[in-house]
Amino acid sequence: MAHADNLARIDVLAREHTLPGEDYLALLTTADEEDDRYLASQALMIKQRVYGNRVFIRGLIEISNFCRNDCYYCGIRASNRACERYRLEEEDILLCCQEGYALGFRTFVLQGGEDGYFTDARLLPLVSEIKTRYPDCAVTLSLGERTRESYAALRRAGADRYLLRHETANPEHYRMLHPDRLSPENRMACLDVLRELGYQVGAGFMVGSPYQTAQMLVGELQFIEAFAPDMCGIGPFIPHKDTPFAAFAPGSVEMTCRLLSCIRLIHPSVLLPATTALGTLAQNGRERGILHGANVVMPNLSPADVRNKYMLYDNKISQGAESAQALDTLRTRLAAIGCEIACDRGDIKKDEE
Ligand code: 5AD
């Protein structure tokens, strides 16, 4: 019976932190509600053991929506003429950090499109300034593909972590989501370089992106097993009206949650955000993610007047518990599911696996 088989698979995954490909495939494609509940309970238990009921917060500063790339899924792609572009000045970014620090954030994530304005000459002094002003804070960068030299210089300037979603571990699929200028090989090479340079590295992928198959999701789990990223950002694909993928259906909240649980069981100490995309697609998406093993949320710390311009997909939320200024709302919502906000850097626990 499929149900009993899935419970057995979940037990193996919780114990061995790996499954044969065919078992991942069966689990992902045949799990019923009860299987999902059991999977979530196992993931929660492991998260509890490693991190307790603490949820880490990261202040997300969206520094620019200019992007040289033209990813078919993304609302800030270069050829989207309808996207109103902005970039924050260095002093605006420092003001965001100042406000975030006062609110209790101890990680700042500088995220942006691949904007030629943010050269090393501009970024290096900015990163060192943030680290000088807030030595007890971690700086995370999420600025796309750069050269080894640039990653190395930014690391020397004090950057602690780097988020670079691989988007899909399947090279053919990668080429269906991106124009030729971007290659799956370079994407993966960037992740290797970042790791080599001593960053805590975040990878990640979209769930239900166009042309993705269940077998590809198995490939994602196998990539996560092998690469063992420190952070893993996964969220449902959500179409953006001004992109070539406007007419595709969004990914599934259930499948995203199932994958969050699997990833928690594969790498008990991974830092796993309940992403904005998950919170956008379902009312209580953030909570559901956390109840499936996520342990990070990234409230928006960008200046209010630019928030609705960083539209990666339709209806991206930046209000309510998604807003850094509404930490109390977030705290209340987390308390309702038995969690509390952790006000520290929230580094990965390396010794738990
Ligand atoms: N739906 C969901 N996620 C998206 N991203 C970009 N566009 C979309 C979309 N339409 C994700 C990508 C990228 C991250 C910043 O946002 O995975 O790496």
Side-chain angles (χ1 to χ4, degrees):
M1 204 183 95
H3 177 61
D5 290 344
N6 279 337
L7 296 185
R9 291 183 181 109
I10 294 164
D11 284 333
V12 174
L13 185 55
R15 198 172 57 237
E16 316 271 340
H17 311 295
T18 181
L19 277 182
E22 65 261 29
D23 286 302
Y24 277 135
L25 187 63
L27 183 57
L28 292 179
T29 54
T30 70
D32 62 19
E33 266 180 50
E34 211 177 308
D35 299 332
D36 276 332
R37 271 199 297 277
Y38 185 61
L39 178 62
S41 73
Q42 292 298 307
L44 259 189
M45 207 152 67
I46 274 207
K47 178 189 74 170
Q48 195 73 18
R49 216 171 61 212
V50 182
Y51 290 106
N53 66 346
R54 289 151 41 91
V55 172
F56 299 117
I57 52 169
R58 322 296 195 197
L60 181 63
I61 308 171
E62 295 160 335
I63 67 171
S64 170
N65 71 354
F66 283 89
C67 191
R68 73 168 67 93
N69 292 327
D70 218 13
C71 310
Y72 302 138
Y73 47 84
C74 185
I76 66 168
R77 65 199 301 267
S79 43
N80 181 10
R81 292 291 147 75
C83 172
E84 197 186 320
R85 306 288 166 171
Y86 76 89
R87 78 169 54 92
L88 302 183
E89 302 287 326
E90 285 88 328
E91 56 199 276
D92 299 327
I93 298 169
L94 288 167
L95 281 173
C96 290
C97 294
Q98 183 180 33
E99 184 181 9
Y101 192 88
L103 288 166
F105 289 91
R106 293 298 176 266
T107 292
F108 302 118
V109 182
L110 273 48
Q111 181 166 89
E114 292 189 17
D115 178 359
Y117 174 87
F118 283 105
T119 57
D120 289 352
R122 293 207 167 88
L123 280 175
L124 296 175
L126 177 62
V127 171
S128 354
E129 184 61 23
I130 297 173
K131 292 295 288 190
T132 307
R133 289 193 193 179
Y134 310 105
D136 55 336
C137 291
V139 170
T140 303
L141 300 178
S142 180
L143 301 169
E145 298 180 16
R146 305 178 71 92
T147 62
R148 172 189 292 270
E149 292 66 39
S150 173
Y151 287 146
L154 289 164
R155 176 89 186 104
R156 284 194 300 273
D160 302 277
R161 310 184 184 133
Y162 205 101
L163 307 178
L164 184 72
R165 289 190 179 181
H166 60 285
E167 312 296 358
T168 168
N170 180 296
E172 288 81 56
H173 187 217
Y174 190 95
R175 287 189 205 95
M176 300 170 92
L177 303 182
H178 304 94
D180 286 346
R181 210 185 89 27
L182 289 168
S183 81
E185 293 77 19
N186 194 56
R187 197 76 175 176
M188 293 302 187
C190 284
L191 285 174
D192 289 333
V193 167
L194 289 163
R195 158 135 323 147
E196 226 179 277
L197 292 168
Y199 284 95
Q200 292 172 45
V201 180
F205 58 93
M206 288 178 288
V207 179
S209 56
Y211 314 113
Q212 186 180 63
T213 62
Q215 190 59 53
M216 288 178 193
L217 289 175
V218 173
E220 297 308 331
L221 293 178
Q222 290 171 329
F223 170 75
I224 297 298
E225 276 189 16
F227 184 71
D230 301 287
M231 292 85 75
C232 187
I234 76 167
F237 162 76
I238 303 174
H240 185 294
K241 60 178 176 20
D242 301 314
T243 63
F245 287 167
F248 281 89
S252 123
V253 171
E254 287 71 28
M255 184 61 90
T256 305
C257 288
R258 203 172 288 155
L259 289 158
L260 284 170
S261 295
C262 287
I263 293 169
R264 170 64 61 204
L265 293 177
I266 292 170
H267 293 304
S269 65
V270 70
L271 293 164
L272 208 51
T275 53
T276 307
L278 190 58
T280 296
L281 212 50
Q283 278 282 324
N284 51 353
R286 198 181 301 97
E287 285 89 343
R288 282 168 73 180
I290 290 168
L291 291 172
H292 283 79
N295 67 331
V296 174
V297 289
M298 302 170 66
N300 196 311
L301 192 51
S302 310
D305 58 316
V306 304
R307 277 188 200 177
N308 58 1
K309 298 189 181 137
Y310 204 81
M311 274 296 154
L312 303 176
Y313 40 82
D314 289 336
N315 306 312
K316 177 170 162 278
I317 53 171
S318 60
Q319 301 302 316
E322 202 61 30
S323 159
Q325 285 72 20
L327 268 194
D328 284 336
T329 309
L330 180 64
R331 195 172 282 114
T332 308
R333 288 180 64 162
L334 291 179
I337 55 168
C339 295
E340 60 179 88
I341 290 178
C343 280
D344 56 56
R345 280 175 44 128
D347 286 299
I348 188 167
K349 289 206 177 171
K350 284 284 188 191
D351 44 351
E352 296 286 339
E353 277 180 51

